[in-house]
Amino acid sequence: MFWTRFVMAVKTSAQPAANPRKKPRQARAKATVDAILQASAHILVAQGFEGFNTNAVAERAGVSVGSLYQYFPNKEAIIAEMVRAKRTRLLHGLQAAEVAHQESDLPEALAALVAATIAHQKGWPQLSQALDRAAALVPLSEEGAALTAAILDVLQRVLQRHRVADVEVAALDLLSLCRGMIDGALLRGESDLDDLQARVMRAASGYLGIAVP
């Protein structure tokens, strides 16, 4: 699945990075980059990576192609920036959940991690899935791989704290299991997030062989 490729990317050798040309400093420049990224999100969801190009992005964002190239040398750099931002948001949510539940038992800590993942995905699940697909096609920097590793580290620390065996494999499996269920439910348009949380927890608890909270 695409999410498995996403989390396993940290295991692969580094490729040439698709990085922005420069970071926006002033408010006007930041607004331009935000418009480019918003336009990119809409096009990626509607047309996929194959229909994604810098001319279409510039037109939808209301900027010139020259202005776009000031910040992004190619479409891969735009996708890479979006993927990095996505991974960073998920990482911050998981880290906050970990810190808040350092003294909790495993079911409560796991429930907090699941809730953080649902919160991260619920805004625009179609974009999340499109970015997971695109991430397999775009060379990301060492920073991107480090973010992936950091996400797994959070899960591994929680599992290790509660003496779960084979924490590396367990973290990969749980991340794939949870993301698969969450993405599928949100893409179907489910809105009862409490019920979704309960179902994901039943699956994750069954995998770990622990009581469902």
Side-chain angles (χ1 to χ4, degrees), residues 14-107:
Q15 295 175 293
N19 291 319
R21 288 189 188 277
K22 65 179 182 178
K23 296 289 186 181
R25 303 296 181 188
Q26 299 180 348
R28 183 175 179 180
K30 291 179 181 179
T32 297
V33 170
D34 286 344
I36 291 169
L37 295 177
Q38 285 292 325
S40 298
H42 284 280
I43 293 172
L44 189 62
V45 168
Q47 301 182 33
F49 188 74
E50 296 76 12
F52 185 87
N53 61 75
T54 52
N55 287 335
V57 170
E59 182 178 358
R60 183 174 183 105
V63 302
S64 69
V65 175
S67 294
L68 183 150
Y69 283 141
Q70 288 183 35
Y71 302 100
F72 300 101
N74 48 48
K75 70 177 185 179
E76 288 81 9
I78 300 174
I79 296 294
E81 182 67 14
M82 295 169 72
V83 171
R84 281 191 288 267
K86 176 179 181 292
R87 294 181 186 182
T88 299
R89 289 193 298 272
L90 176 58
L91 175 60
H92 289 171
L94 293 175
Q95 287 174 330
E98 179 197 10
V99 170
H101 291 271
Q102 285 187 342
E103 304 301 323
S104 300
D105 60 16
L106 180 55

Coordinates of all heavy atoms in Angstrom, one line a residue, residues 14-107:
A14 N 19.3 7.5 -0.2 CA 18.9 8.8 -0.5 C 18.9 9.1 -2.0 O 19.8 8.6 -2.7 CB 19.7 9.8 0.3
Q15 N 18.0 9.9 -2.5 CA 18.0 10.3 -3.9 C 18.2 11.8 -3.9 O 18.2 12.4 -2.9 CB 16.6 10.0 -4.5 CG 16.3 8.5 -4.6 CD 14.9 8.3 -5.1 OE1 13.9 8.6 -4.5 NE2 14.8 7.8 -6.3
P16 N 18.6 12.3 -5.1 CA 18.7 13.8 -5.2 C 17.4 14.5 -4.7 O 16.3 14.1 -5.0 CB 18.9 14.0 -6.7 CG 19.5 12.7 -7.2 CD 18.8 11.6 -6.4
A17 N 17.6 15.5 -3.9 CA 16.5 16.1 -3.2 C 15.7 17.0 -4.2 O 16.3 17.7 -5.1 CB 17.0 16.9 -2.0
A18 N 14.4 17.1 -4.0 CA 13.6 18.1 -4.7 C 13.3 19.2 -3.7 O 12.3 19.0 -2.9 CB 12.3 17.4 -5.2
N19 N 14.1 20.2 -3.7 CA 14.0 21.2 -2.6 C 13.5 22.6 -3.2 O 13.7 22.8 -4.4 CB 15.3 21.5 -2.0 CG 15.7 20.3 -1.1 OD1 14.9 19.7 -0.4 ND2 16.9 19.9 -1.2
P20 N 12.9 23.4 -2.4 CA 12.5 24.8 -2.9 C 13.8 25.6 -3.2 O 14.9 25.3 -2.7 CB 11.8 25.4 -1.7 CG 11.4 24.2 -0.9 CD 12.4 23.2 -1.1
R21 N 13.7 26.5 -4.2 CA 14.9 27.4 -4.5 C 15.2 28.3 -3.3 O 16.4 28.5 -2.9 CB 14.5 28.3 -5.7 CG 14.5 27.5 -7.0 CD 14.4 28.5 -8.2 NE 14.2 27.9 -9.4 CZ 15.1 27.3 -10.2 NH1 16.3 27.4 -9.8 NH2 14.8 26.8 -11.3
K22 N 14.2 28.9 -2.7 CA 14.4 29.8 -1.6 C 13.2 29.8 -0.7 O 12.1 29.5 -1.1 CB 14.8 31.2 -2.0 CG 13.6 31.9 -2.8 CD 14.0 33.3 -3.2 CE 12.9 34.0 -3.9 NZ 13.2 35.4 -4.3
K23 N 13.4 30.2 0.6 CA 12.3 30.3 1.5 C 11.7 31.7 1.5 O 12.5 32.7 1.4 CB 12.8 30.0 2.9 CG 13.3 28.6 3.1 CD 12.1 27.6 3.1 CE 12.6 26.2 3.5 NZ 11.5 25.2 3.4
P24 N 10.4 31.9 1.5 CA 9.8 33.2 1.5 C 10.1 33.9 2.8 O 10.0 33.3 3.9 CB 8.3 33.0 1.3 CG 8.1 31.6 1.9 CD 9.4 30.8 1.5
R25 N 10.5 35.2 2.8 CA 10.8 35.9 4.0 C 9.7 37.0 4.3 O 9.4 37.2 5.4 CB 12.2 36.6 3.8 CG 13.3 35.7 3.5 CD 13.6 34.7 4.6 NE 14.7 33.8 4.3 CZ 15.0 32.8 5.1 NH1 14.3 32.5 6.1 NH2 16.1 32.0 4.7
Q26 N 9.3 37.7 3.3 CA 8.3 38.8 3.5 C 6.9 38.3 3.4 O 6.6 37.2 2.8 CB 8.6 39.9 2.5 CG 10.0 40.5 2.7 CD 10.2 41.7 1.7 OE1 9.4 41.8 0.8 NE2 11.3 42.4 1.9
A27 N 6.0 39.1 3.9 CA 4.6 38.6 3.9 C 4.0 38.4 2.5 O 3.3 37.4 2.3 CB 3.7 39.7 4.6
R28 N 4.4 39.2 1.6 CA 3.9 39.1 0.2 C 4.4 37.8 -0.4 O 3.7 37.0 -1.1 CB 4.3 40.2 -0.6 CG 3.8 40.2 -2.1 CD 4.1 41.5 -2.8 NE 3.7 41.4 -4.2 CZ 3.8 42.4 -5.1 NH1 4.4 43.5 -4.7 NH2 3.4 42.2 -6.3
A29 N 5.7 37.5 -0.1 CA 6.3 36.2 -0.7 C 5.6 35.0 0.0 O 5.4 34.0 -0.7 CB 7.8 36.2 -0.4
K30 N 5.4 35.1 1.3 CA 4.7 34.0 2.0 C 3.3 33.7 1.4 O 2.9 32.6 1.2 CB 4.7 34.2 3.5 CG 6.0 34.2 4.1 CD 5.9 34.5 5.6 CE 7.3 34.4 6.3 NZ 7.3 34.8 7.7
A31 N 2.6 34.9 1.1 CA 1.3 34.7 0.5 C 1.3 34.1 -0.9 O 0.5 33.3 -1.2 CB 0.6 36.1 0.4
T32 N 2.4 34.4 -1.6 CA 2.5 33.8 -2.9 C 2.8 32.3 -2.8 O 2.2 31.5 -3.5 CB 3.7 34.4 -3.7 OG1 3.4 35.8 -3.9 CG2 4.0 33.7 -5.0
V33 N 3.7 31.9 -1.9 CA 3.9 30.5 -1.7 C 2.7 29.7 -1.2 O 2.4 28.6 -1.6 CB 5.1 30.3 -0.7 CG1 5.3 28.8 -0.3 CG2 6.4 30.8 -1.4
D34 N 2.0 30.3 -0.3 CA 0.7 29.7 0.2 C -0.3 29.5 -0.9 O -0.9 28.5 -1.0 CB 0.1 30.6 1.3 CG 0.9 30.5 2.6 OD1 1.7 29.6 2.8 OD2 0.6 31.4 3.5
A35 N -0.4 30.5 -1.8 CA -1.3 30.4 -2.9 C -0.9 29.2 -3.9 O -1.7 28.5 -4.4 CB -1.4 31.7 -3.7
I36 N 0.4 29.1 -4.1 CA 1.0 28.0 -4.9 C 0.7 26.7 -4.3 O 0.2 25.7 -5.0 CB 2.5 28.2 -5.1 CG1 2.8 29.4 -6.0 CG2 3.1 27.0 -5.7 CD1 4.2 29.8 -6.0
L37 N 0.9 26.5 -3.0 CA 0.6 25.3 -2.3 C -0.9 24.9 -2.3 O -1.3 23.7 -2.4 CB 1.2 25.3 -0.9 CG 2.7 25.4 -0.9 CD1 3.2 25.5 0.6 CD2 3.4 24.3 -1.6
Q38 N -1.7 25.9 -2.1 CA -3.2 25.7 -2.1 C -3.6 25.2 -3.5 O -4.4 24.3 -3.6 CB -3.9 26.9 -1.7 CG -3.9 27.2 -0.2 CD -4.6 26.2 0.6 OE1 -5.7 25.7 0.2 NE2 -4.1 25.9 1.8
A39 N -3.1 25.9 -4.5 CA -3.5 25.5 -5.9 C -3.0 24.1 -6.2 O -3.7 23.3 -6.8 CB -2.9 26.6 -6.8
S40 N -1.8 23.8 -5.7 CA -1.2 22.5 -5.9 C -2.1 21.4 -5.3 O -2.3 20.4 -5.9 CB 0.2 22.5 -5.4 OG 1.0 23.4 -6.0
A41 N -2.6 21.7 -4.1 CA -3.4 20.7 -3.4 C -4.7 20.4 -4.2 O -5.0 19.2 -4.4 CB -3.8 21.2 -2.0
H42 N -5.3 21.4 -4.7 CA -6.6 21.2 -5.5 C -6.3 20.5 -6.8 O -7.0 19.5 -7.2 CB -7.2 22.6 -5.9 CG -7.9 23.2 -4.7 ND1 -9.2 22.9 -4.3 CD2 -7.5 24.2 -3.8 CE1 -9.5 23.6 -3.2 NE2 -8.5 24.4 -3.0
I43 N -5.2 20.8 -7.5 CA -4.9 20.1 -8.8 C -4.5 18.7 -8.5 O -4.9 17.8 -9.2 CB -3.8 20.9 -9.5 CG1 -4.3 22.2 -9.9 CG2 -3.3 20.1 -10.7 CD1 -3.3 23.2 -10.5
L44 N -3.7 18.4 -7.5 CA -3.2 17.1 -7.2 C -4.4 16.2 -6.8 O -4.5 15.0 -7.3 CB -2.3 17.1 -6.0 CG -1.5 15.8 -5.7 CD1 -0.7 15.4 -6.9 CD2 -0.7 15.9 -4.4
V45 N -5.4 16.7 -6.1 CA -6.6 15.9 -5.7 C -7.4 15.6 -7.0 O -7.9 14.5 -7.2 CB -7.4 16.6 -4.7 CG1 -8.8 15.9 -4.5 CG2 -6.6 16.5 -3.3
A46 N -7.6 16.7 -7.8 CA -8.5 16.5 -9.0 C -7.9 15.7 -10.1 O -8.6 15.0 -10.8 CB -8.9 17.9 -9.5
Q47 N -6.6 15.9 -10.3 CA -6.0 15.3 -11.5 C -4.8 14.3 -11.3 O -4.4 13.7 -12.2 CB -5.4 16.4 -12.4 CG -6.5 17.4 -12.8 CD -5.9 18.5 -13.7 OE1 -5.0 18.3 -14.5 NE2 -6.5 19.7 -13.6
G48 N -4.4 14.2 -10.0 CA -3.3 13.3 -9.7 C -2.0 13.8 -10.1 O -1.9 14.9 -10.7
F49 N -0.9 13.0 -9.8 CA 0.4 13.5 -10.1 C 0.6 13.6 -11.6 O 1.4 14.5 -12.1 CB 1.4 12.5 -9.5 CG 2.9 12.9 -9.6 CD1 3.3 14.0 -8.8 CD2 3.7 12.4 -10.6 CE1 4.7 14.4 -8.9 CE2 5.0 12.8 -10.6 CZ 5.5 13.8 -9.8
E50 N 0.0 12.8 -12.4 CA 0.2 12.8 -13.9 C -0.3 14.1 -14.5 O 0.2 14.5 -15.5 CB -0.5 11.6 -14.5 CG 0.0 10.2 -14.1 CD -0.4 9.8 -12.7 OE1 -1.3 10.4 -12.1 OE2 0.2 8.8 -12.2
G51 N -1.4 14.6 -13.9 CA -2.0 15.8 -14.5 C -1.5 17.1 -13.8 O -2.0 18.2 -14.1
F52 N -0.5 16.9 -12.9 CA 0.1 18.0 -12.1 C 1.2 18.7 -12.9 O 2.2 18.0 -13.2 CB 0.5 17.5 -10.8 CG 0.9 18.5 -9.8 CD1 0.0 19.1 -9.0 CD2 2.3 18.8 -9.7 CE1 0.4 20.0 -8.0 CE2 2.7 19.7 -8.7 CZ 1.8 20.4 -7.9
N53 N 1.2 20.0 -13.1 CA 2.3 20.7 -13.8 C 2.4 22.1 -13.3 O 1.4 22.7 -12.8 CB 2.2 20.6 -15.3 CG 1.0 21.2 -15.8 OD1 0.9 22.5 -15.9 ND2 0.0 20.4 -16.3
T54 N 3.5 22.7 -13.5 CA 3.8 24.1 -12.9 C 2.9 25.1 -13.6 O 2.5 26.1 -13.0 CB 5.2 24.4 -13.0 OG1 5.7 24.2 -14.4 CG2 6.1 23.6 -12.1
N55 N 2.6 24.9 -14.9 CA 1.8 25.9 -15.6 C 0.4 25.9 -15.0 O -0.2 27.0 -14.8 CB 1.7 25.6 -17.1 CG 3.0 25.9 -17.8 OD1 3.8 26.8 -17.4 ND2 3.3 25.2 -18.9
A56 N -0.2 24.7 -14.8 CA -1.5 24.7 -14.2 C -1.6 25.2 -12.8 O -2.5 25.9 -12.4 CB -2.0 23.2 -14.2
V57 N -0.5 25.0 -12.0 CA -0.5 25.5 -10.6 C -0.4 27.0 -10.7 O -1.1 27.7 -9.9 CB 0.8 24.9 -9.9 CG1 1.0 25.6 -8.6 CG2 0.6 23.4 -9.7
A58 N 0.5 27.6 -11.5 CA 0.6 29.0 -11.5 C -0.7 29.7 -12.0 O -1.1 30.7 -11.4 CB 1.7 29.4 -12.5
E59 N -1.4 29.1 -12.9 CA -2.6 29.7 -13.4 C -3.7 29.7 -12.3 O -4.3 30.7 -12.1 CB -3.1 28.9 -14.6 CG -4.4 29.5 -15.2 CD -4.9 28.7 -16.4 OE1 -4.2 27.8 -16.8 OE2 -6.0 29.1 -16.9
R60 N -3.8 28.5 -11.6 CA -4.8 28.5 -10.5 C -4.4 29.4 -9.4 O -5.3 30.0 -8.7 CB -5.0 27.0 -10.0 CG -6.1 26.9 -9.0 CD -6.4 25.5 -8.6 NE -7.5 25.5 -7.6 CZ -8.7 25.2 -7.9 NH1 -9.1 24.8 -9.1 NH2 -9.7 25.3 -6.9
A61 N -3.1 29.5 -9.1 CA -2.7 30.3 -7.9 C -2.8 31.8 -8.3 O -2.7 32.6 -7.4 CB -1.3 29.9 -7.6
G62 N -2.9 32.1 -9.5 CA -3.0 33.6 -9.9 C -1.6 34.2 -9.9 O -1.5 35.4 -9.6
V63 N -0.6 33.5 -10.2 CA 0.8 34.0 -10.2 C 1.4 33.6 -11.6 O 1.0 32.7 -12.3 CB 1.7 33.5 -9.1 CG1 1.0 33.8 -7.7 CG2 1.9 32.0 -9.2
S64 N 2.5 34.3 -11.9 CA 3.2 34.0 -13.2 C 4.0 32.7 -12.9 O 4.4 32.4 -11.8 CB 4.1 35.1 -13.6 OG 5.2 35.3 -12.7
V65 N 4.3 32.0 -14.0 CA 5.2 30.9 -13.9 C 6.6 31.3 -13.4 O 7.2 30.6 -12.7 CB 5.3 30.2 -15.3 CG1 6.3 29.0 -15.2 CG2 4.0 29.6 -15.7
G66 N 7.0 32.5 -13.8 CA 8.3 33.0 -13.4 C 8.3 33.2 -11.8 O 9.3 32.9 -11.2
S67 N 7.2 33.7 -11.3 CA 7.1 33.9 -9.8 C 7.2 32.5 -9.2 O 7.8 32.3 -8.1 CB 5.8 34.6 -9.5 OG 5.9 35.9 -9.9
L68 N 6.5 31.5 -9.7 CA 6.5 30.2 -9.1 C 7.9 29.6 -9.1 O 8.4 29.1 -8.1 CB 5.6 29.2 -9.9 CG 5.4 27.8 -9.4 CD1 4.1 27.3 -9.8 CD2 6.5 26.9 -10.0
Y69 N 8.7 29.8 -10.2 CA 10.0 29.3 -10.3 C 11.0 30.0 -9.4 O 12.1 29.5 -9.1 CB 10.5 29.3 -11.8 CG 9.9 28.3 -12.7 CD1 9.6 28.6 -14.0 CD2 9.7 27.0 -12.2 CE1 9.0 27.6 -14.8 CE2 9.2 26.0 -13.0 CZ 8.8 26.3 -14.3 OH 8.3 25.3 -15.1
Q70 N 10.6 31.1 -8.9 CA 11.5 31.8 -7.9 C 11.6 30.9 -6.6 O 12.6 31.0 -5.9 CB 10.9 33.2 -7.5 CG 11.1 34.2 -8.6 CD 10.6 35.6 -8.1 OE1 10.7 35.9 -6.9 NE2 10.0 36.3 -9.0
Y71 N 10.5 30.2 -6.3 CA 10.5 29.4 -5.1 C 10.6 27.9 -5.3 O 11.1 27.2 -4.5 CB 9.2 29.7 -4.4 CG 9.0 31.2 -4.1 CD1 8.2 32.0 -4.9 CD2 9.7 31.7 -3.0 CE1 8.1 33.4 -4.6 CE2 9.7 33.1 -2.7 CZ 8.9 33.9 -3.5 OH 8.8 35.2 -3.3
F72 N 10.1 27.4 -6.5 CA 10.1 26.0 -6.7 C 10.6 25.7 -8.1 O 10.1 26.2 -9.1 CB 8.7 25.4 -6.6 CG 8.1 25.6 -5.3 CD1 7.1 26.6 -5.1 CD2 8.4 24.8 -4.2 CE1 6.5 26.8 -3.8 CE2 7.8 24.9 -3.0 CZ 6.9 25.9 -2.8
P73 N 11.7 25.0 -8.3 CA 12.4 24.8 -9.6 C 11.6 23.8 -10.5 O 11.8 23.8 -11.7 CB 13.7 24.2 -9.2 CG 13.5 23.5 -7.9 CD 12.5 24.4 -7.2
N74 N 10.7 23.0 -9.9 CA 9.9 22.0 -10.7 C 8.8 21.6 -9.9 O 8.6 21.9 -8.7 CB 10.8 20.9 -11.1 CG 11.6 20.3 -9.9 OD1 11.1 20.1 -8.8 ND2 12.9 20.1 -10.1
K75 N 7.9 20.7 -10.5 CA 6.7 20.3 -9.8 C 7.1 19.3 -8.7 O 6.4 19.2 -7.6 CB 5.8 19.6 -10.8 CG 6.2 18.2 -11.3 CD 5.1 17.6 -12.2 CE 5.5 16.2 -12.7 NZ 4.4 15.7 -13.5
E76 N 8.2 18.6 -8.8 CA 8.6 17.7 -7.8 C 9.0 18.4 -6.5 O 8.7 17.9 -5.4 CB 9.9 16.9 -8.2 CG 9.6 15.8 -9.3 CD 9.4 16.4 -10.7 OE1 9.8 17.6 -10.9 OE2 9.0 15.6 -11.6
A77 N 9.5 19.6 -6.6 CA 9.9 20.4 -5.4 C 8.6 20.9 -4.7 O 8.6 21.0 -3.5 CB 10.7 21.6 -5.8
I78 N 7.5 21.2 -5.5 CA 6.3 21.5 -4.8 C 5.7 20.4 -4.0 O 5.3 20.5 -2.9 CB 5.3 22.0 -5.9 CG1 5.8 23.2 -6.6 CG2 3.9 22.3 -5.2 CD1 4.9 23.6 -7.8
I79 N 5.7 19.2 -4.7 CA 5.2 18.0 -4.0 C 6.0 17.7 -2.8 O 5.4 17.4 -1.7 CB 5.2 16.8 -4.9 CG1 4.2 17.0 -6.1 CG2 4.8 15.5 -4.2 CD1 2.8 17.1 -5.8
A80 N 7.3 17.8 -2.9 CA 8.2 17.5 -1.8 C 7.9 18.4 -0.6 O 7.9 18.0 0.6 CB 9.7 17.6 -2.2
E81 N 7.7 19.7 -0.9 CA 7.4 20.6 0.2 C 6.0 20.3 0.9 O 5.9 20.3 2.1 CB 7.3 22.0 -0.4 CG 7.0 23.1 0.7 CD 8.2 23.3 1.6 OE1 9.3 22.8 1.4 OE2 8.0 24.0 2.7
M82 N 5.1 19.9 0.1 CA 3.8 19.5 0.7 C 3.9 18.2 1.5 O 3.3 18.1 2.6 CB 2.7 19.3 -0.4 CG 2.4 20.5 -1.2 SD 1.5 20.2 -2.7 CE -0.1 19.8 -2.0
V83 N 4.7 17.3 1.1 CA 4.9 16.0 1.8 C 5.6 16.3 3.1 O 5.2 15.8 4.2 CB 5.6 15.0 1.0 CG1 6.0 13.8 1.8 CG2 4.8 14.5 -0.2
R84 N 6.6 17.2 3.0 CA 7.4 17.5 4.3 C 6.4 18.2 5.3 O 6.5 17.9 6.5 CB 8.5 18.4 3.9 CG 9.8 17.7 3.4 CD 11.0 18.6 3.4 NE 10.9 19.6 2.3 CZ 11.3 19.5 1.1 NH1 12.0 18.4 0.7 NH2 11.2 20.4 0.2
A85 N 5.6 19.1 4.8 CA 4.7 19.8 5.7 C 3.7 18.8 6.3 O 3.3 18.9 7.5 CB 3.9 20.9 5.0
K86 N 3.2 17.8 5.5 CA 2.2 16.8 6.0 C 2.9 16.0 7.1 O 2.3 15.7 8.1 CB 1.8 16.0 4.8 CG 0.9 14.8 5.2 CD 0.5 14.1 3.9 CE -0.4 12.9 4.2 NZ 0.3 11.8 4.9
R87 N 4.1 15.5 6.8 CA 4.8 14.7 7.8 C 5.1 15.4 9.1 O 5.0 14.9 10.2 CB 6.1 14.1 7.2 CG 5.8 13.2 6.1 CD 7.1 12.6 5.5 NE 6.8 11.8 4.3 CZ 7.8 11.2 3.6 NH1 9.0 11.2 4.0 NH2 7.5 10.5 2.6
T88 N 5.4 16.7 9.0 CA 5.7 17.5 10.1 C 4.5 17.7 11.0 O 4.5 17.6 12.2 CB 6.2 18.9 9.7 OG1 7.5 18.7 9.0 CG2 6.5 19.8 10.9
R89 N 3.3 17.9 10.4 CA 2.1 18.1 11.2 C 1.7 16.8 11.9 O 1.3 16.8 13.1 CB 0.9 18.5 10.3 CG 1.0 19.9 9.7 CD -0.3 20.4 9.1 NE -0.7 19.5 8.0 CZ -0.3 19.8 6.7 NH1 0.5 20.8 6.4 NH2 -0.7 19.0 5.7
L90 N 1.9 15.7 11.2 CA 1.6 14.4 11.9 C 2.6 14.2 13.0 O 2.2 13.7 14.1 CB 1.7 13.3 10.9 CG 1.5 11.8 11.5 CD1 0.2 11.7 12.2 CD2 1.6 10.8 10.4
L91 N 3.8 14.4 12.8 CA 4.8 14.2 13.8 C 4.5 15.1 15.1 O 4.6 14.6 16.2 CB 6.2 14.6 13.3 CG 7.4 14.6 14.3 CD1 7.6 13.2 14.9 CD2 8.7 15.0 13.6
H92 N 4.2 16.3 14.9 CA 3.9 17.2 16.0 C 2.7 16.7 16.8 O 2.7 16.8 18.1 CB 3.7 18.6 15.6 CG 4.9 19.3 15.1 ND1 4.9 20.5 14.4 CD2 6.2 18.9 15.2 CE1 6.2 20.9 14.1 NE2 7.0 19.9 14.6
G93 N 1.7 16.2 16.1 CA 0.5 15.7 16.8 C 0.8 14.5 17.6 O 0.4 14.3 18.8
L94 N 1.6 13.6 17.0 CA 2.0 12.3 17.8 C 2.9 12.7 18.9 O 2.8 12.1 20.0 CB 2.7 11.4 16.8 CG 1.8 10.8 15.7 CD1 2.7 9.9 14.8 CD2 0.7 10.0 16.3
Q95 N 3.8 13.6 18.8 CA 4.7 14.0 19.9 C 4.0 14.6 21.0 O 4.2 14.3 22.2 CB 5.8 15.0 19.4 CG 6.8 14.3 18.5 CD 7.8 15.4 17.9 OE1 7.4 16.5 17.7 NE2 9.0 15.0 17.6
A96 N 3.0 15.4 20.7 CA 2.2 16.0 21.8 C 1.4 14.9 22.5 O 1.3 15.0 23.8 CB 1.2 17.0 21.2
A97 N 0.8 14.0 21.8 CA 0.1 12.9 22.4 C 1.0 12.0 23.3 O 0.6 11.6 24.4 CB -0.5 12.0 21.4
E98 N 2.2 11.8 22.8 CA 3.2 11.0 23.6 C 3.5 11.7 24.9 O 3.5 11.1 26.0 CB 4.5 10.8 22.8 CG 5.5 10.0 23.6 CD 6.9 10.1 23.0 OE1 7.1 10.9 22.1 OE2 7.8 9.3 23.5
V99 N 3.8 13.0 24.9 CA 4.2 13.7 26.1 C 3.1 13.8 27.1 O 3.2 13.6 28.3 CB 4.6 15.2 25.7 CG1 4.8 16.0 26.9 CG2 5.9 15.1 24.9
A100 N 1.8 14.0 26.6 CA 0.7 14.1 27.4 C 0.3 12.7 28.1 O -0.4 12.7 29.1 CB -0.5 14.6 26.7
H101 N 0.8 11.6 27.6 CA 0.4 10.3 28.1 C 1.6 9.4 28.5 O 1.6 8.2 28.4 CB -0.4 9.6 27.1 CG -1.8 10.2 26.9 ND1 -2.9 9.8 27.7 CD2 -2.2 11.2 26.1 CE1 -3.9 10.6 27.3 NE2 -3.5 11.4 26.3
Q102 N 2.7 10.1 29.0 CA 3.9 9.4 29.4 C 3.6 8.5 30.6 O 4.3 7.4 30.8 CB 5.0 10.3 29.7 CG 5.7 10.9 28.5 CD 6.9 11.7 28.8 OE1 7.1 12.2 29.9 NE2 7.7 12.0 27.8
E103 N 2.7 8.9 31.4 CA 2.4 8.1 32.6 C 1.1 7.2 32.4 O 0.7 6.5 33.4 CB 2.1 9.0 33.8 CG 3.3 10.0 34.1 CD 4.6 9.2 34.4 OE1 4.5 8.1 35.1 OE2 5.6 9.7 34.0
S104 N 0.6 7.2 31.2 CA -0.6 6.4 31.0 C -0.3 4.9 30.7 O 0.9 4.6 30.4 CB -1.4 6.9 29.8 OG -1.8 8.3 30.0
D105 N -1.3 4.0 30.8 CA -1.0 2.7 30.4 C -1.1 2.6 28.9 O -1.4 3.5 28.2 CB -2.0 1.7 31.1 CG -3.5 2.0 30.7 OD1 -3.7 2.8 29.7 OD2 -4.4 1.5 31.4
L106 N -0.7 1.4 28.4 CA -0.6 1.3 26.9 C -1.9 1.5 26.2 O -1.9 2.3 25.2 CB 0.0 -0.1 26.6 CG 0.2 -0.4 25.1 CD1 1.0 0.7 24.4 CD2 0.7 -1.8 24.9
P107 N -3.0 1.0 26.6 CA -4.3 1.3 25.9 C -4.6 2.8 25.8 O -5.0 3.3 24.8 CB -5.3 0.6 26.7 CG -4.6 -0.6 27.3 CD -3.3 0.0 27.7

